[in-house]
Each structure stands twice: as C-alpha cells, then as structure tokens.
Amino acid sequence: MKKSLTLLAVLLLLCLFLLVGCGRTNGTNEAVDSNGAEGTAAPVIVTDQMGREVTITGIPERIISLSPSNTEMIFALGLGDRLVGITEFCNYPPEVQGKEVVGGFADPNLEIILELGPNLVLASTFHKEAVLALEQHGIPVLVVESPTLAELYRSISLVAEVTGAVAAGEALVAQMQQRIQAVEKVVAVIDQEDRVRVYFEVYSDPMMSAGPGVFIHEIISLAGGVNIFGDVAENYPMVSAEVVAVRQPQVILLPDYHGAAETLLAEMAGRPGWENVPALQNNRIHTVVADIFSRPGPRIVEAVESAARLFYPELF
C-alpha cells in the first residue's frame, strides 16, 4: 500500500511539470478592440498539442485556465482581466485572488466551468476527458504543452494570437530572450570543463532528478551549469543516493515544496556516500522557489537568473 501511494505521489508530481505547451498557428488576428487589445477580423484557426484543429471566433473575453502555468502566461500577456476561472493551484500573480476556482489541476469541475460561460479554455494534454466534454458543449479549448523553452516561446505566441494579443506576445518573448541572453553572455567566459556540476532533486522519496529532455535541464545549462543527469534517457529519472555521490555534484538545487526543504537538508547529510559530495563539503545546497523552477511559464527567466547567481556568485 505504501509503495502504491508513493508511486501515485510521483505521478501527481510529474503532472505539475506538464502544465502548459505549444502549437502552430494557421490564421491571423489583427483588429483592435476598444481597450487597445488586438482583436479578430476573421476566425483564427490553430492546431494544438493534441493535433486538434481549433477555431477561435471573435475576441475571447472570458478565459478559463486549467493550469498555473497558463494562468501566469495570461497575466504576463496583460489579459488578467479576461480570466474568469482558475484552478486551486493557481497562486501567482497575487491578482488571481478572487478569481473563481474551477477545481484542481487533475479534476476540473465541468459544471462550474459551464456556469462561467467561457469562450476559451486553456488546457493541457492531461485534460483529455475535460477537453472532449467541453467540446461537446461547443466551448473552444486550446491544448498547449511546454516541455522546453522553445516550446514555451511557441506557446506564448499561440495563446497571444488566439486571444488577440499578438504584439504583447512578441514583446514578452523578446523580453524573455533578452534576459536569458544576458545571462548566457556572462557565463560564456567559463570553459566547459570549469562549469559547476549540478544535481537538481525533483523529488526525494523516491529520489528523482531531471533528464535532458525537460526545461529544468535547460535552466541549469542556460545558467552555465552541467546537469549531472543530462546523459540519461528518461526525462525524470529515478536515481539513488549512491549514484548521485559518484557523480560528485558541486551544487545541489532543492525545490522547497510546502516548507519541507529544511527537513530534507538535514536528511541529505546522512545519505550513503554523501559525506564526500562537494556540494555538502562546501555548503552549496540551495533551496529554490518550487513554483518558479517547476512551471514552464514566463517566470522561467527568473529561474535562469537565480540559478546563475547560485552557480557563479562572483559573476553576478
């Protein structure tokens, strides 16, 4: 029973890393509404992450987000006033307070969603059943997924287009790219063999890290670090304390989920072989804001900047 609960916890945790995404646009959206937001003179047709052709007619003025990442994206595009529904896990920015809650990430409430009368719902591939149910009620649903930074840029552009905020989307992507390039420029002076080896602990029981196919790996790389599990096949590999010790991380990043980091920090010192891990010897275990590092949204830039400061404090 305990093993089943642990596996369930791991699966739910992984869901938190798959909250938004991308797609390809096939239409245009160029008119302007009375608020100065770009509008639509003709239906916009896009292909979403589930391979569905989605038609958006008119300016979506009532938007529901089924994931925290989508919610952050909507606000970053300046469309927070159009957001009428969120999940119970949507906690940023502070302006989400007071928005109607439509359930959790894994279990959105169809009845509440229908009562809110949205003309656009942003979902993820995790919401297949909800997508089909909403489609049957004639509600446009856009499924997006962003496992990488490139996909995130495309996601922002896609959501910006279907919401009539193309200029805002372009500005947001450009700003993100500029800030990341600024970090890359600083760390570019560090030779590859001198870059710090980094272990990111996604989950502690069982131990899980990040592989090369996910945005956490990109955060580490863009910040000038070397992911010690960047050579594995899995996106979120199960690892052991012994293997981590063998790979000799110089920096360890630990997301602080619900204030549990302090307990984990104390527990790490007793792991097999960790007395010889450079990160412990040099007191370079750092807790990071879980939401910023775990959500593939606009704040990923903050994660890159934060990681770079932790890796190379002498350069930032």
Side-chain angles (χ1 to χ4, degrees), residues 33 35-38 59-64 70-84 99 120 122 156 158-166 168-169:
D33 68 13
N35 294 319
E38 295 169 34
I59 296 288
E61 296 291 348
R62 297 183 62 80
I63 302 171
I64 289 178
N70 284 337
T71 297
E72 293 192 20
M73 188 187 303
I74 287 295
F75 275 96
L77 289 170
L79 306 175
D81 58 333
R82 300 196 208 172
L83 197 62
V84 298
K99 298 289 186 181
L120 176 63
L122 297 179
I156 292 171
L158 175 64
V159 173
E161 180 161 358
V162 301
T163 56
V166 174

Side-chain angles (χ1 to χ4, degrees), residues 169-179:
E170 292 174 346
L172 177 59
V173 169
Q175 180 190 63
M176 292 174 64
Q177 291 174 331
Q178 289 169 3
R179 289 174 63 178

Side-chain angles (χ1 to χ4, degrees), residues 224-283:
V226 177
N227 178 11
I228 65 169
F229 289 108
D231 61 344
V232 301
E234 300 87 358
N235 286 338
Y236 293 102
M238 298 289 187
V239 300
S240 68
E242 292 83 359
V243 170
V244 173
V246 168
R247 298 199 175 203
Q248 292 283 283
Q250 297 165 293
V251 175
I252 294 175
L253 299 183
L254 178 67
D256 190 2
Y257 293 113
H258 309 297
E262 186 173 344
T263 300
L264 288 172
L265 284 171
E267 180 265 338
M268 282 180 171
R271 290 178 177 174
W274 279 44
E275 66 274 7
N276 296 316
V277 170
L280 267 74
Q281 293 177 332
N282 299 312
N283 195 29

Side-chain angles (χ1 to χ4, degrees), residues 12 46 60 89 127 131 154 165 172 185 194 197 200 202 244-245 263-264 285-286 297 310:
L12 289 175
V46 297
F89 297 104
H127 300 114
V131 169
R154 284 195 285 271
L172 177 59
K185 183 177 180 180
D194 295 328
R197 298 184 302 278
F200 191 103
V202 173
V244 173
T263 300
L264 288 172
I285 302 179
H286 305 287
L310 294 174

